[in-house]
Each structure stands twice: as structure tokens, then as C-alpha cells.
């Protein structure tokens, strides 16, 4: 018998909830949990639930089609369930139409459940887990919900991992060398990147033909040249303003949780989604289909374009943003995703979006002010489609980068450095063949004319592709310094390479520093951090810097996006300095919170020098592409350490 629609909803919702770390428990069932030790390393968890609101709680496990309606889950693999979940009272049978009138176990008042478990590792004093369950009613079916619980364990070991180090005070450092702050260092760089993206979007077939049409509309319909210029400038401002508005929701997220944008940028599934989306964008740019927003959006915006003077101009700008989405969307998506992987969060995103909007709006205003310039514009034609296809190849290269981010965070090793570079070489080779006319796509002209601009583009991409080839080898030329940070790190390789490897645990590094009487250099980093890789490949490799790091410091790298789950005994609910509660489940959770609590930052890379008494010797240091400047900061830390002896 086929699955009913409701049963499919049940299966899908249960599956996705099992992947989610952000689910909230429902008010329809109030739970309490306790534990009882039954043997060495063996416990029984006892759940008491009270169903409310006239709902019913499904209690079947592994029905005829293999579905669970309720199950206990743990993140730590050292905790195993011993037998199935046991129902100790409060259940009844019900012929449920959701399951084709099959008789299923439910509870509609109070219920008692037990789950036996075996813990092979250290037993924590407080065990964390979740109870995933499903509720419903006669006329409705609710998706699976999750009850997150902490339960005391008899004989368990109390969590001793340190996160907040009270002796670290950045306002009272032994030396004032270092950065005053990490915010705003690259905002204008992101703005310029967005500006370039806006200019590129102008050369797409969705936008370029609109320039003379729009400028002509304002200059001829405004009554006077002065009013036409005013309206065109207002039109350009509204284009800029609309793209700024798109970044506002990210500021709200950033205020809710300063680490949320970093978590988004390193989220494995989000990076995989970006990979898929960018591949779809690329195929669209190749001309096999067109991505558009629903027609009613454009129609509604266009219908308002004649309402009043200022309001009408605003809706004209909104109409442009909507109808050009099939071309600007992928470029804007590249910018948005790129900004989220950087360190400035929502503010960098706003600067990038503002730059993009300005790049898109500026020509409309300038051509309205100087309409004679329109005569110098090239005519629309096949070259616009060529620009679009070239962008499609670049979208494919970006897609590989996002897949690489997910691979690095999860350490799957499906895209080592050489395979990543090899894919880029293939993309570059195919792009050159396309520009030479060997490869054609649906909307290309049958005959390709290769003029000076096209020859220049062919040469540029040929040189770039040839430059990548040494990256496939195990030679000194494999570093590809011009691209450092974009491919996976040199250590993530098919070859065995000798590189400087810091420690990975703060307390272990501090103990070694005290034994060797050296200051501790903390490197807050991430697997998906571009600027971290640039520092490691361009600054750390400097002979003077490397000598200091290897011989004068004990270095520890703390990966804030490490998804390895902590042992149960090290998991905890941490109270932040602002009074909030944060679940520390993974290694990355621990080090990200360690950074934000002690060093007031969530951006990477961030470097800190700490003395043997765990006081800050200097102010912290952010991304520093100058090896000389970074060396000077290290020497300042050594000098401060010497004075404190």
C-alpha cells in the first residue's frame, strides 16, 4: 500500500528534525526526566510526559513501514541505547485515519517511558540528550518536535573545561601593541568589490538595454532637463537604497547572536545549498533556462510606477531590481555568500550590497546628466550573451569553493587541494575553448568573431589557467600565492607535506608553555576562513615569522567551526557574560565561545599572546597581510613576556 500524504509529511518532518540542532520543544507535551544507575556504566532514563491541549502523543516504534514516532537521541557516540524505548503506562490503542485506520499506540493524558543506556566513556555529571516525538489530533497532524534535556547522572564526573578566563583583560594589557579593534578593517574593500559586481551586472543582457530606454524616459517625460536630471538621480538613489534594505534582516540576526553569521557561513548544509544554487545559476547563465521571480511581483511593482512622482520613481527602481533578477541574482548571490564567509558579518554585507546598488545605479544617473554619452555605448548584441556565459563559468568555480567549505568543516577529504585546483583548471580550459568558439551554448551566434577584446579575454583566462597548473604538483611552486586562501590549505593535500602544525587544545598548550617557559600564541581560526589561510600561507611562511613561532612561542590553533562533538563529560550549558545561555556541544562551540567571552570578537583570524599567568601581554591582532608588521607584533609580545618574568 502506498504512503498517504500525511504519512509522507510525518516521515519527512521526522527526518529533518533529526538533523536540526535548533528545534524547540513543544508546549503540547510537558516533560520531566530523571535517571537511575543500574550497573557500572549503565543507566535507565525515566521520562514522564503530560499531554495538553486535547492532543495525542504517538508512541509506536518501528511500525510496519519502519517509522518511529518517538525516540531518544544523543550526540555522543559513546552513549548507546540498550534495547528499545519502553512504555510503562498511560498508553492506549487508537484507529488512526492518518495511518489508514491502523491501530497505533497513543497517549492523551499522562505517560511514563524508560530508556536503558550504556556509557562506554566517562560518565558526565549532567547528561545531555533529546527526546524526538510526534503529536497530532483528530483533524490535524503536527511535525516532529524535540525536547532537549539535561539529567543528573549518579557517580558522573563534573564538567571542568574552562571557557571564561577571568585573568584575561584586554583593557589592561602588559603592552599596547596590537589592534584597537578588528571591525571596519575591510569594509571599504567589500564596498569596492560590490561596486565592481554592480558594474559587471550592467553588462548583462537583462540590464544593459534598459540604460538608454530609462534615461530617454526621464529626459523626455520630465518636462525640463533639470527635472529629468533630478528624477534620474532619485531613481539611482532608490536602486542603491533597495539593495541596502536587503541587508537589514542580517543586522537583526547579528544583534540576536553575534556568532550567528559565523555559524551560518560555516554551516555544512548551507554551504552545500550554496554549491547547488551556484551550479543552477551557472546552467541558467549558459542559456538552458532562465531564473525569474514570479511575474506578479514585477506586474505589481510596474503598476505602481505611475503613482505620484517620488513614489512612482521608487517603484520604477523596484521594477528594475525585479525584472533584472535573472542576471543580477547570481552576481548578487555570489556577493552575499562571499560576505557571509568573511569576518565583518552584517555590516560588511551592507557595504557590499551598497556597493552593488551604487554600481548598478550610477550609470543611469550619469547618462541622464550627460545624455550625449549614450552615443558612445556599444549596441546590444551577441557580446552580452558572451558576458553572461563567462559569468556562468565563474559561478561554477564559486560553487566548487562552497563545496570545499563543507568538505573542510566536516573533514570528508573529498576535495583535497589538488582536486580542487584540478577542477578549476578544467573550468578555465573549457572557458578558453568557449571564447575560441569551440564550445557553443543555446543563445550563442553561429559564427564567432574574435575581436581585440575577446582575444584579450582569451589571453587573460589562458594565463590564469596555466598559473593554476603547478598547484597540482608537490613542488615549491604549488603554493599559488596569488590565490592563497581560496583553495584548501597546503596541509589538506594528496601529498605528505611538512608544514608547521600548532597544537589544537588551549589547556594542553598552556601546560606546555609553562614547562618550556614560553608565551602562548593563540590563533583563532576556522576551516572555511579565507584570510586564515592567507596568513598561514603568506605570513607564517616568512622565515623570520616562522622562526619566532616555532622557537619562541607555544602556538595553539583553535578552530571555531570544528564540528567534532565533545565527549559527553565536556558538554555543558554555558552562561555568557551577557547572561544568555549557550549549549557547548561541539569543539567549535567551545572555542567560538572562548574567543567571544575572553577576547570580545567573533571574527577570524584573531591572534592573542598570553603569559604563563594567563594575562594578556598585548592587544590582539587581526588579519595582517604584512609579514613585517606581524613580526613586529610578535616581538612586542616577547618583550612584554620578558619584562613580566
Amino acid at each position: 500500500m502506498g504512503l498517504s500524504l500525511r504519512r509522507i509529511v510525518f516521515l519527512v518532518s521526522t527526518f529533518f528534525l533529526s538533523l536540526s540542532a535548533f528545534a524547540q520543544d513543544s508546549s503540547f507535551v510537558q516533560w520531566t526526566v530523571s535517571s537511575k544507575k543500574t550497573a557500572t556504566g549503565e543507566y535507565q532514563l525515566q521520562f514522564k510526559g503530560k499531554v495538553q491541549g486535547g492532543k495525542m502523543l504517538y508512541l509506536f516504534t518501528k511500525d510496519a513501514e519502519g517509522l518511529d514516532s518517538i525516540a531518544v537521541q544523543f550526540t555522543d557516540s559513546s552513549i548507546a541505547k540498550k534495547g528499545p524505548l519502553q512504555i510503562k503506562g498511560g498508553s492506549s490503542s487508537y484507529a488512526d485515519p492518518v495511518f489508514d485506520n491502523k491501530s497505533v499506540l497513543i497517549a492523551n493524558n499522562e505517560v511514563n517511558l524508560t530508556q536503558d543506556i550504556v556509557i562506554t566513556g566517562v560518565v558526565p555529571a549532567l547528561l545531555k540528550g533529546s527526546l524526538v516525538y510526534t503529536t497530532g489530533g483528530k483533524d490535524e497532524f503536527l511535525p516532529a518536535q524535540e525536547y532537549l534535556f539535561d539529567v543528573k547522572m549518579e557517580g558522573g564526573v563534573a564538567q571542568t573545561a574552562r571557557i571564561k578566563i577571568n585573568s584575561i583583560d584586554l583593557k589592561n594589557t602588559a603592552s599596547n601593541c596590537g589592534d584597537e579593534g578588528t571591525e571596519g578593517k575591510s569594509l571599504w574593500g567589500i564596498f569596492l568589490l560590490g561596486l565592481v559586481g554592480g558594474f559587471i551586472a550592467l553588462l548583462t543582457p537583462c540590464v544593459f538595454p534598459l540604460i538608454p530606454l530609462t534615461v530617454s524616459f526621464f529626459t523626455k517625460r520630465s518636462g525640463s532637463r533639470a527635472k529629468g536630471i533630478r528624477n534620474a538621480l532619485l531613481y539611482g538613489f532608490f536602486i542603491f537604497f533597495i539593495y541596502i534594505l536587503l541587508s537589514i534582516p542580517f543586522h537583526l540576526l547579528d544583534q540576536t547572536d553575534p556568532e550567528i553569521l559565523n555559524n551560518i557561513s560555516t554551516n555544512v548544509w548551507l554551504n552545500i545549498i550554496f554549491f547547488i544554487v551556484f551550479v543552477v545559476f551557472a546552467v541558467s547563465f549558459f542559456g538552458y533556462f532562465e531564473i525569474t521571480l514570479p511575474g506578479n511581483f514585477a506586474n505589481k511593482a510596474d503598476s505602481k510606477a505611475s503613482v505620484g512622482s517620488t513614489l512612482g520613481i521608487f517603484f520604477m527602481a523596484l521594477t528594475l531590481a525585479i525584472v533584472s533578477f535573472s542576471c543580477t541574482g547570481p552576481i548578487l548571490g555570489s556577493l552575499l555568500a562571499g560576505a557571509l564567509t568573511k569576518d565583518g558579518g552584517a555590516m560588511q554585507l551592507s557595504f557590499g550590497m551598497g556597493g552593488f546598488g551604487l554600481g548598478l545605479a550610477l550609470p543611469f544617473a550619469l547618462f541622464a546628466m550627460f545624455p550625449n554619452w549614450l552615443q558612445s555605448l556599444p549596441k546590444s548584441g551577441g557580446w552580452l550573451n558572451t558576458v553572461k556565459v563567462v559569468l556562468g563559468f565563474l559561478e561554477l568555480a564559486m560553487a566548487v569553493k562552497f563545496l570545499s567549505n563543507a568538505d573542510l568543516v566536516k573533514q570528508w577529504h573529498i576535495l583535497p587541494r589538488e582536486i580542487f585546483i584540478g577542477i578549476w583548471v578544467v573550468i578555465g580550459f573549457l572557458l578558453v575553448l568557449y571564447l575560441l568558439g569551440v564550445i557553443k551554448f543555446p543563445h550563442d551566434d553561429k559564427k564567432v568573431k574574435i575581436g581585440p577584446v575577446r582575444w584579450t579575454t582569451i589571453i587573460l583566462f589562458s594565463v590564469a589557467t596555466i598559473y593554476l597548473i603547478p598547484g597540482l604538483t608537490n613542488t615549491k611552486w604549488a603554493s599559488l600565492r596569488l590565490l592563497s586562501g581560496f583553495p584548501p590549505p597546503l596541509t589538506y593535500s594528496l601529498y605528505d607535506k611538512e608544514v608547521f602544525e600548532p597544537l589544537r587544545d588551549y589547556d594542553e598548550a598552556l601546560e606546555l608553555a609553562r614547562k618550556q617557559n614560553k608565551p602562548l600564541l593563540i590563533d583563532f581560526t576556522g576551516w572555511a576562513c579565507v584570510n586564515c589561510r592567507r596568513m598561514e600561507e603568506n605570513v607564517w611562511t616568512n622565515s623570520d615569522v616562522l622562526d619566532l613561532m616555532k622557537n619562541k612561542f607555544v602556538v595553539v590553533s583553535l578552530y571555531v567551526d570544528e564540528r567534532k562533538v565533545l565527549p559527553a563529560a565536556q558538554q555543558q550549558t554555558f552562561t555568557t557574560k551577557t547572561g544568555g545561555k549557550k549549549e557547548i556541544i561541539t569543539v567549535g562551540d567551545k572555542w567560538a565561545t572562548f574567543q567571544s567571552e575572553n577576547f570580545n570578537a567573533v571574527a577570524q583570524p584573531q591572534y592573542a599572546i598570553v603569559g604563563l599567568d594567563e594575562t594578556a601581554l598585548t592587544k590582539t591582532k587581526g588579519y595582517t597581510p604584512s609579514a613585517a608588521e606581524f613580526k613586529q607584533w610578535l616581538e612586542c609580545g616577547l618583550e612584554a613576556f620578558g619584562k613580566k618574568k
Side-chain angles (χ1 to χ4, degrees):
M1 181 180 294
L3 290 176
S4 67
L5 178 60
R6 287 186 176 183
R7 177 173 277 266
I8 293 172
V9 171
F10 171 82
L11 181 62
V12 172
S13 64
T14 303
F15 170 74
F16 277 104
L17 182 74
S18 68
L19 298 177
S20 172
F22 305 103
Q24 302 295 322
D25 59 302
S26 169
S27 60
F28 291 131
V29 184
Q30 297 298 316
W31 294 99
T32 59
V33 59
S34 59
S35 71
K36 181 176 70 174
K37 187 174 182 179
T38 57
T40 302
E42 297 186 10
Y43 293 81
Q44 184 181 83
L45 302 182
Q46 301 167 342
F47 297 90
K48 292 184 178 181
K50 186 174 182 180
V51 185
Q52 299 176 334
K55 305 298 180 186
M56 59 184 181
L57 172 68
Y58 288 105
L59 294 174
F60 59 82
T61 58
K62 294 300 180 206
D63 73 345
E65 294 180 9
L67 300 179
D68 275 325
S69 72
I70 187 165
V72 181
Q73 296 181 349
F74 303 99
T75 56
D76 190 347
S77 60
S78 68
I79 305 171
K81 290 182 282 188
K82 184 180 179 182
L85 186 69
Q86 299 292 325
I87 303 168
K88 295 298 184 180
S91 65
S92 61
S93 296
Y94 173 66
D96 195 342
V98 172
F99 298 97
D100 302 323
N101 291 317
K102 179 182 175 181
S103 180
V104 296
L105 281 179
I106 65 161
N108 51 24
N109 192 2
E110 294 184 353
V111 64
N112 296 309
L113 311 170
T114 63
Q115 176 67 67
D116 292 325
I117 62 172
V118 178
I119 302 178
T120 56
V122 177
V123 177
L126 199 65
L127 177 67
K128 292 181 176 293
S130 63
L131 179 67
V132 178
Y133 62 97
T134 311
T135 58
K138 291 183 178 180
D139 299 319
E140 63 180 341
F141 179 81
L142 300 176
Q145 298 129 66
E146 185 176 45
Y147 166 62
L148 302 175
F149 63 82
D150 299 327
V151 59
K152 293 182 179 179
M153 307 295 284
E154 180 184 344
V157 177
Q159 207 293 123
T160 58
R162 299 182 306 149
I163 290 182
K164 175 61 178 173
I165 310 297
N166 293 323
S167 56
I168 296 177
D169 182 4
L170 294 182
K171 294 181 180 179
N172 296 288
T173 58
S175 174
N176 287 325
C177 54
D179 296 337
E180 291 297 329
T182 59
E183 295 184 3
K185 292 185 68 176
S186 58
L187 291 179
W188 291 109
I190 292 294
F191 180 83
L192 291 175
L193 181 65
L195 189 67
V196 172
F199 288 147
I200 292 174
L202 285 168
L203 300 178
T204 60
C206 310
V207 180
F208 188 82
L210 297 178
I211 297 176
L213 293 175
T214 306
V215 171
S216 177
F217 173 83
F218 283 122
T219 54
K220 292 181 180 179
R221 298 282 296 273
S222 298
S224 67
R225 185 171 184 273
K227 189 176 180 181
I229 292 175
R230 170 193 167 276
N231 288 344
L233 290 173
L234 192 60
Y235 178 71
F237 169 76
F238 280 139
I239 294 173
F240 168 79
F241 181 66
I242 286 168
Y243 283 100
I244 288 288
L245 286 178
L246 293 175
S247 69
I248 289 179
F250 292 92
H251 285 272
L252 300 177
L253 289 173
D254 212 2
Q255 290 178 1
T256 303
D257 181 359
E259 295 177 27
I260 194 166
L261 290 179
N262 187 53
N263 292 335
I264 289 174
S265 69
T266 59
N267 182 275
V268 172
W269 301 112
L270 186 61
N271 274 281
I272 290 175
I273 289 172
F274 274 134
F275 164 72
I276 296 171
V277 168
F278 275 55
V279 171
V280 172
F281 281 159
V283 177
S284 172
F285 271 11
F286 291 153
Y288 291 104
F289 59 85
E290 190 169 295
I291 301 173
T292 59
L293 290 174
N296 61 325
F297 281 97
N299 294 335
K300 288 181 180 179
D302 190 49
S303 66
K304 301 290 185 181
S306 59
V307 179
S309 176
T310 302
L311 187 61
I313 293 172
F314 171 80
F315 279 104
M316 284 186 66
L318 182 60
T319 301
L320 171 71
I322 293 173
V323 300
S324 64
F325 178 79
S326 63
C327 291
T328 61
I331 300 171
L332 186 58
S334 303
L335 171 66
L336 187 150
L340 287 179
T341 62
K342 297 183 184 294
D343 306 325
M347 186 56 68
Q348 279 195 343
L349 183 60
S350 291
F351 269 69
M353 299 283 273
F356 184 89
L358 182 62
L360 199 60
L362 197 58
F364 289 94
L366 289 177
F367 281 115
M369 295 175 66
F370 307 100
N372 290 335
W373 289 5
L374 289 173
Q375 298 176 7
S376 63
L377 286 179
K379 294 182 179 180
S380 300
W383 68 272
L384 288 173
N385 185 68
T386 301
V387 170
K388 198 173 178 181
V389 171
V390 169
L391 289 175
F393 280 106
L394 298 180
E395 294 285 335
L396 277 182
M398 282 291 293
V400 177
K401 172 59 181 170
F402 287 110
L403 182 60
S404 174
N405 286 345
D407 179 49
L408 286 168
V409 170
K410 295 298 288 186
Q411 296 287 287
W412 288 325
H413 290 273
I414 60 174
L415 276 180
R417 180 181 176 90
E418 292 75 23
I419 293 179
F420 178 99
I421 294 172
I423 294 174
W424 273 22
V425 168
V426 171
I427 292 173
F429 180 69
L430 293 175
L431 175 52
V432 171
L433 289 180
Y434 167 75
L435 291 172
L436 289 171
V438 178
I439 299 174
K440 291 185 181 296
F441 291 99
H443 299 303
D444 287 323
D445 295 332
K446 293 183 178 180
K447 292 184 178 181
V448 176
K449 295 181 180 180
I450 304 180
V453 174
R454 195 171 183 121
W455 271 119
T456 302
T457 308
I458 290 170
I459 293 171
L460 287 175
F461 280 108
S462 297
V463 170
T465 303
I466 293 170
Y467 174 77
L468 289 172
I469 293 175
L472 304 174
T473 66
N474 188 21
T475 64
K476 63 180 181 180
W477 296 285
S479 61
L480 304 181
R481 285 181 173 269
L482 294 178
L483 291 176
S484 63
F486 286 95
L490 290 167
T491 55
Y492 203 72
S493 171
L494 294 173
Y495 307 110
D496 292 327
K497 297 187 177 183
E498 293 185 7
V499 293
F500 175 58
E501 283 280 4
L503 298 174
R504 297 285 182 85
D505 181 80
Y506 172 79
D507 289 314
E508 178 187 350
L510 179 63
E511 182 181 356
L512 182 62
R514 286 170 172 167
K515 285 182 179 179
Q516 297 183 356
N517 195 31
K518 295 178 180 179
L520 179 61
L521 174 60
I522 305 173
D523 162 36
F524 290 104
T525 184
W527 290 112
C529 173
V530 171
N531 284 341
C532 301
R533 302 292 86 75
R534 287 173 175 164
M535 287 292 294
E536 293 162 7
E537 295 171 14
N538 294 339
V539 177
W540 289 20
T541 53
N542 176 273
S543 58
D544 292 335
V545 171
L546 185 61
D547 179 66
L548 287 171
M549 293 177 68
K550 290 177 68 174
N551 300 315
K552 301 297 182 180
F553 291 89
V554 171
V555 185
V556 58
S557 291
L558 305 180
Y559 285 80
V560 301
D561 56 2
E562 176 63 67
R563 293 295 183 256
K564 182 180 179 182
V565 176
L566 289 165
Q570 295 183 29
Q571 297 178 18
Q572 61 175 299
T573 301
F574 179 77
T575 302
T576 66
K577 56 189 175 186
T578 59
K581 300 290 185 181
K582 181 176 179 182
E583 297 294 328
I584 308 298
I585 304 297
T586 67
V587 174
D589 293 336
K590 179 180 178 180
W591 298 136
T593 309
F594 184 88
Q595 181 187 12
S596 61
E597 289 293 305
N598 296 300
F599 298 98
N600 305 319
V602 294
Q604 296 82 43
Q606 185 188 35
Y607 304 96
I609 301 176
V610 174
L612 304 183
D613 57 353
E614 294 187 280
T615 58
L617 296 178
T618 68
K619 296 184 182 299
T620 60
K621 196 72 174 167
Y623 173 60
T624 309
S626 168
E629 182 182 345
F630 193 71
K631 174 192 171 187
Q632 185 179 19
W633 176 73
L634 292 176
E635 291 174 336
C636 179
L638 282 175
E639 182 180 351
F641 178 74
K643 290 179 179 179
K644 291 198 68 173
K645 284 185 178 180

